[in-house]
Amino acid sequence: MSAISIGQAAVLGVVEGVTEFLPVSSTGHLKITEGLMNIPVDDKAVVGFTAVIQVGAIGAVLAYFFKDIARIVTAFARGLGNKEERYHHDYKFAWWVIYATLPIVVVGLAAKPLIDGPLASLWVVAASLIVGSGFMWAADQMGRHKRGEDDTDLKDAMVVGSSQILALLFPGFSRSGATISTALIRDLDRLAATRLSFFLGIPALTGAGLYELKDALGTGAGAGPLIVGTVISFIVAYASIAWLLKFVANHSLNAFVGYRILIGVVLMGLLGTGVLSA
């Protein structure tokens, strides 16, 4: 019997699609939703399922930024065969994304027992939502928002890419929240910071989904729920990406900060009163 039903998969697909790229923590919202639906958050099949449906959200990024990605991949391919092409920013950016993904891969593999165990607690999620909110608020205040996407360099990519580790170790911190905030501290403007967050998330989240696929299929998560959750995640995430890019062009992150604090406090209340189990 599947650990997750078709109906539950649909709900989780919507949650994943809405929250994956908003700086509110998709992992935190998925764990809260799973807890409210009495789905065991530490079940290997459930952990695998949530990682796999992230691929739907990544598919939405690939579709939304197809022209940008095609341009970067083309420049990368040309640079491999032509020395003069290696001075092109897109060629360099492709390598930066690769380099920036290495830290989270190393930490993810080394700390997997902790990530799937003690750090999966909803208490950690609640605390991370609140602490991450403070980080986001401070970053938005500190950033001078003076550098655009063409001004990014290897150091930007490495620092921002490494910040994904915060969300990996502390579910609730938010991968997009950590990366966008770190990019703001590096003085990128909000739109450039958000786009960089998207591009850096592609290899990290795709790799996580493929790595967990065997657990999702082999320990109780049926193919039907996986397909439903992934397809819905793709559709909803595409709309979420379009909305976020328009929003950050003219607004600060303060609305997300307030929402995260509220959710964190509510979650602590649910855990403290026994409505949810950690």
Side-chain angles (χ1 to χ4, degrees):
M1 180 179 295
S2 175
I4 298 175
S5 70
I6 294 291
Q8 291 171 330
V11 172
L12 293 174
V14 171
V15 173
E16 165 63 22
V18 170
T19 62
E20 180 59 56
F21 300 111
L22 300 185
V24 296
S25 174
S26 62
T27 301
H29 280 74
L30 285 169
K31 288 183 179 295
I32 293 171
T33 305
E34 289 164 358
L36 291 174
M37 293 193 296
N38 294 318
I39 298 173
V41 297
D42 57 348
D43 186 295
K44 287 188 70 175
V46 176
V47 173
F49 174 87
T50 55
V52 171
I53 64 172
Q54 286 179 334
V55 177
I58 289 300
V61 173
L62 294 174
Y64 193 91
F65 293 106
F66 179 77
K67 290 183 179 179
D68 297 289
I69 294 171
R71 188 190 71 245
I72 293 169
V73 171
T74 299
F76 182 71
R78 288 176 177 171
L80 291 177
N82 187 334
K83 201 170 185 179
E84 293 182 0
E85 294 288 339
R86 296 175 190 174
Y87 295 98
H88 197 287
H89 184 270
D90 287 337
Y91 172 81
K92 296 178 182 178
F93 185 78
W95 276 114
W96 298 343
V97 171
I98 295 171
Y99 295 148
T101 303
L102 295 178
I104 193 173
V105 172
V106 173
V107 174
L109 293 175
K112 195 173 190 303
L114 287 175
I115 295 167
D116 293 342
L119 293 178
S121 167
L122 288 179
W123 282 109
V124 175
V125 172
S128 298
L129 278 164
I130 295 172
V131 173
S133 298
F135 179 68
M136 286 173 55
W137 179 85
D140 212 11
Q141 303 304 308
M142 293 168 58
R144 289 178 286 179
H145 315 293
K146 67 177 185 177
R147 300 170 59 214
E149 189 171 354
D150 291 338
D151 299 318
T152 56
D153 56 26
L154 175 59
K155 187 173 182 180
D156 292 324
M158 291 301 299
V159 173
V160 175
S162 296
S163 71
Q164 296 178 109
I165 295 172
L166 289 170
L168 182 68
L169 297 179
F170 306 108
F173 205 98
S174 169
R175 190 204 65 81
S176 58
T179 51
I180 292 173
S181 297
T182 303
L184 291 177
I185 293 174
R186 297 284 302 163
D187 291 332
L188 292 178
D189 63 48
R190 294 188 183 97
L191 185 58
T194 304
R195 284 174 59 88
L196 180 59
S197 173
F198 283 135
F199 290 125
L200 290 176
I202 292 172
L205 293 178
T206 301
L210 295 176
Y211 182 83
E212 296 287 357
L213 182 60
K214 64 182 187 303
D215 290 336
L217 292 175
T219 55
L226 277 174
I227 293 172
V228 169
T230 303
V231 170
I232 291 178
S233 171
F234 171 88
I235 296 170
V236 177
Y238 191 94
S240 179
I241 292 167
W243 177 85
L244 180 61
L245 288 172
K246 291 180 181 179
F247 180 85
V248 298
N250 301 299
H251 300 83
S252 73
L253 301 179
N254 289 341
F256 296 114
V257 170
Y259 172 78
R260 287 169 54 99
I261 293 174
L262 175 62
I263 292 298
V265 171
V266 169
L267 179 54
M268 286 186 172
L270 292 174
L271 290 170
T273 57
V275 175
L276 285 181
S277 171

